[in-house]
Amino acid sequence: MKIPDTHGDSERVSELIIDAERSSKCRDWSRADELFHQAILLDTSPASRIAYGVCLSRQERYFEAISIFTPILDGDNQQAIGVVCHNLAAIYREVGDFELARRFQWRATLFLDDAGAEELLAMANDALANETYQTSESLLMAAIEMSGDVADEVRDGDLIATLGLIQAEITSPQQGMISLFSAYRRHQEVQDFRGMGNDLLNMSILFGRLQRHRAERACLKRAIRCFEKGPATCSVKQANDLVDIHDRIQFFRQFDGRRN
């Protein structure tokens, strides 16, 4: 492994990372992988690993991302450790290990110089998963304020999505649905297919609560199409499993035992 101790090496690493991220935006994943690997070979600092780990996480290649992130935890760069803990928390939150997500997120706050809107949003999501809705709402409002938005003109789709989930619990599923649809439109504007899929998945859950089962299934099917464009393999499987469960439940609901 070569240490980038010259100006030329540093410039080359920067070029590789920029090209890799450009390839990932075009969903040319194999090219992105190749460029990230080249950058990591040249760069012993955590920067290239973190960039690659984030790229892998966005594709839901979680185990690969964890293997890229983990060596940084053994280093002495506290800022990098904080960033990695934040990203590991996001991964464990996605796979449903909320306790481990909460621990990593808390550790991130200890290492990062200051908590920004993204970190506050993560803590709001942890509180939401823990069903402490008032705490989640307070953290989210702080995240919105720190993002520069105001409560009634939020532009960030992730912030709006969490707002919708909180509203569904505190106010009503209908109010939550309105915000989730707004989040979907924001994610659509930036072609964030995973974000769109998650919004549709959450809307399907709320439609289920409202006993609107056709809309529930329609949202699940649309979510699958978004996840497939992501790509988001884990989410595709989860959504397909939910469709199967939904269809079995509907079959038994329609079954009339008096016909036997």
Side-chain angles (χ1 to χ4, degrees):
M1 181 178 289
K2 183 180 177 184
I3 298 175
D5 55 355
T6 67
H7 181 66
D9 285 334
S10 298
E11 281 194 344
R12 178 58 180 155
V13 169
S14 296
E15 290 171 0
L16 287 167
I17 295 298
I18 290 170
D19 288 344
E21 292 180 339
R22 185 181 296 118
S23 295
S24 69
K25 287 181 180 178
C26 297
R27 295 193 283 281
D28 186 352
W29 309 116
S30 59
R31 177 63 176 161
D33 283 348
E34 178 185 343
L35 292 166
F36 275 122
H37 283 144
Q38 290 179 35
I40 290 170
L41 285 173
L42 286 170
D43 186 11
T44 57
S45 77
S48 296
R49 280 186 168 272
I50 289 173
Y52 188 31
V54 169
C55 179
L56 291 169
S57 298
R58 287 173 180 163
Q59 301 169 61
E60 297 191 351
R61 294 163 62 182
Y62 295 133
F63 292 111
E64 292 173 78
I66 290 169
S67 70
I68 289 292
F69 283 136
T70 300
I72 298 172
L73 299 177
D74 296 326
D76 55 7
N77 186 326
Q78 293 194 358
Q79 187 71 12
I81 292 172
V83 171
V84 165
C85 286
H86 174 75
N87 282 284
L88 287 172
I91 289 173
Y92 287 113
R93 199 176 292 116
E94 287 288 336
V95 301
D97 193 335
F98 299 115
E99 177 60 24
L100 199 51
R102 186 187 62 77
R103 291 180 184 178
F104 271 112
Q105 194 61 56
W106 177 248
R107 189 178 177 192
T109 64
L110 299 178
F111 283 102
L112 293 172
D113 293 335
D114 57 350
E118 188 176 347
E119 288 74 30
L120 289 170
L121 173 61
M123 288 188 281
N125 284 325
D126 287 336
L128 182 62
N130 201 39
E131 299 182 1
T132 52
Y133 303 121
Q134 300 297 335
T135 300
S136 181
E137 184 179 34
S138 296
L139 288 165
L140 180 66
M141 291 303 107
I144 290 172
E145 182 178 351
M146 190 164 288
S147 74
D149 291 339
V150 294
D152 56 348
E153 295 181 9
V154 184
R155 299 291 305 173
D156 186 283
D158 293 341
L159 291 170
I160 302 172
T162 297
L163 176 62
L165 295 175
I166 294 170
Q167 289 172 332
E169 300 298 336
I170 293 178
T171 308
S172 69
Q174 291 88 342
Q175 185 60 49
M177 193 85 68
I178 293 170
S179 292
L180 282 170
F181 183 71
S182 295
Y184 172 82
R185 296 299 296 270
R186 297 294 188 218
H187 287 135
Q188 189 178 46
E189 288 173 4
V190 295
Q191 292 190 312
D192 181 350
F193 293 111
R194 278 190 68 224
M196 292 163 63
N198 284 326
D199 296 332
L200 288 164
L201 204 62
N202 286 318
M203 281 192 279
S204 77
I205 293 170
L206 296 186
F207 276 127
R209 289 189 194 175
L210 297 170
Q211 303 298 309
R212 296 180 59 183
H213 300 300
R214 289 179 64 183
E216 177 187 7
R217 191 180 193 279
C219 281
L220 285 172
K221 297 298 286 186
R222 291 183 66 185
I224 291 168
R225 291 195 291 271
C226 289
F227 288 138
E228 287 173 342
K229 290 180 182 178
T233 307
C234 297
S235 293
V236 168
K237 183 181 183 306
Q238 179 190 11
N240 273 314
D241 289 344
L242 289 172
V243 170
D244 290 341
I245 293 169
H246 174 276
D247 289 348
R248 286 199 296 272
I249 291 172
Q250 289 304 106
F251 173 79
F252 285 113
R253 280 179 179 150
Q254 295 169 6
F255 178 73
D256 187 351
R258 293 173 297 180
R259 294 177 183 174
N260 290 338

